Amino acid sequence: MLKTRQCLLGIRTFLGVASRIWGFILYILRKHLRTIIQYQTVRYDILPLSPISRNRLNAVKRKILVLDLDETLIHSHHDGVLRPTVRPGTPPDFILKVVIDKHPVRFFVHKRPHVDFFLEVVSQWYELVVFTASMEVYGSAVADKLDNNKDILRRRYYRQHCTLTLDVGSYIKDLSVVHSDLSSIVILDNSPGAYRSHPDNAIPIKSWFSDPSDTALLNLLPMLDALRFTSDVRSVLSRNLHQRRLW
């Protein structure tokens, strides 16, 4: 009888250890697979400009690309979230530790697929500006991680720069805060409410939470490449306002 109990205890111990080892293996496999998908070799050939294109580009103002953070470039959840939108066991790209109202909070941040490549490319075409409705202590930390010491996300605006609309309870981003000339500003944001004051300057993008096969940022590159040659971005972005595609 004693030997049977010892045998059963041994089996339970073995199964417990095996379960933990298998869980660790799955974690490593998911992380490795996500890394491959996130940083797979992607291409958007930046060919030398023709003399006509170069002259055209020199004749127009350099454009400003305003970038939202949450659900546009990244997705995050913090300690205490009961039902995170990211699949359990999916490792974050980085973890932020910030203090909010004197309480330390950890944010688990996941980068949208191809965001690093996207920022590298568009920073050659536009002046990049971060404009988030999030608190500065959080938004600044996220922007620092995305910038990665490349000095391409220098200008930043946060919740205190937004206007809170009491009727719908959302934050509006006033692009005139960024620059007085709206003909040269493009905003990329997943929330239509954020650019409701400047719909003709906006490129909608579908919200991103965890889909590793998402290619929305890559799909936008041809449009952003062409848009920088226009004299007024609104002349293009205002067309088919009610039939815009969510990238």
Side-chain angles (χ1 to χ4, degrees), residues 120-136:
E120 177 186 347
V121 173
V122 295
S123 66
Q124 300 175 51
W125 302 337
Y126 294 81
E127 176 188 352
L128 302 186
V129 174
V130 169
F131 204 152
T132 175
S134 298
M135 298 175 64
E136 181 171 353

Side-chain angles (χ1 to χ4, degrees), residues 60-123:
V60 298
K61 295 180 180 179
R62 180 175 170 83
K63 305 300 187 297
I64 299 171
L65 179 59
V66 178
L67 299 167
D68 175 50
L69 292 179
D70 291 290
E71 282 68 72
T72 296
L73 298 185
I74 59 98
H75 171 69
S76 72
H77 63 275
H78 57 79
D79 286 319
V81 175
L82 296 179
R83 303 176 72 180
T85 53
V86 178
R87 191 166 117 188
T90 303
D93 287 289
F94 54 88
I95 300 174
L96 297 177
K97 298 178 181 180
V98 300
V99 177
I100 300 177
D101 294 332
K102 299 181 180 180
H103 297 288
V105 181
R106 288 191 308 170
F107 285 91
F108 303 88
V109 185
H110 302 259
K111 295 195 291 187
R112 192 169 197 152
H114 314 295
V115 65
D116 294 325
F117 178 77
F118 175 82
L119 292 175
E120 177 186 347
V121 173
V122 295
S123 66

Side-chain angles (χ1 to χ4, degrees), residues 155-220:
R155 292 182 61 192
R156 303 171 185 181
Y157 298 86
Y158 307 100
R159 179 173 297 178
Q160 65 267 30
H161 301 107
C162 299
T163 302
L164 177 61
T165 54
L166 298 179
D167 57 334
V168 292
S170 64
Y171 290 96
I172 295 178
K173 300 173 182 179
D174 183 2
L175 297 183
S176 63
V177 172
V178 178
H179 199 282
S180 59
D181 181 9
L182 295 179
S183 68
S184 61
I185 299 181
V186 180
I187 180 171
L188 178 63
D189 201 306
N190 71 300
S191 174
Y195 51 77
R196 61 188 297 186
S197 296
H198 308 285
D200 293 344
N201 293 85
I203 298 179
I205 187 170
K206 62 184 178 182
S207 298
W208 180 82
F209 296 97
S210 60
D211 180 11
S213 63
D214 180 87
T215 59
L217 293 176
L218 292 183
N219 296 341
L220 281 173

Side-chain angles (χ1 to χ4, degrees), residues 29-43:
L29 288 175
R30 287 176 185 167
K31 185 174 183 179
H32 185 61
L33 178 61
R34 189 163 186 267
T35 300
I36 292 175
I37 295 174
Q38 178 82 295
Y39 303 107
Q40 63 182 306
T41 302
V42 293
R43 292 188 52 157

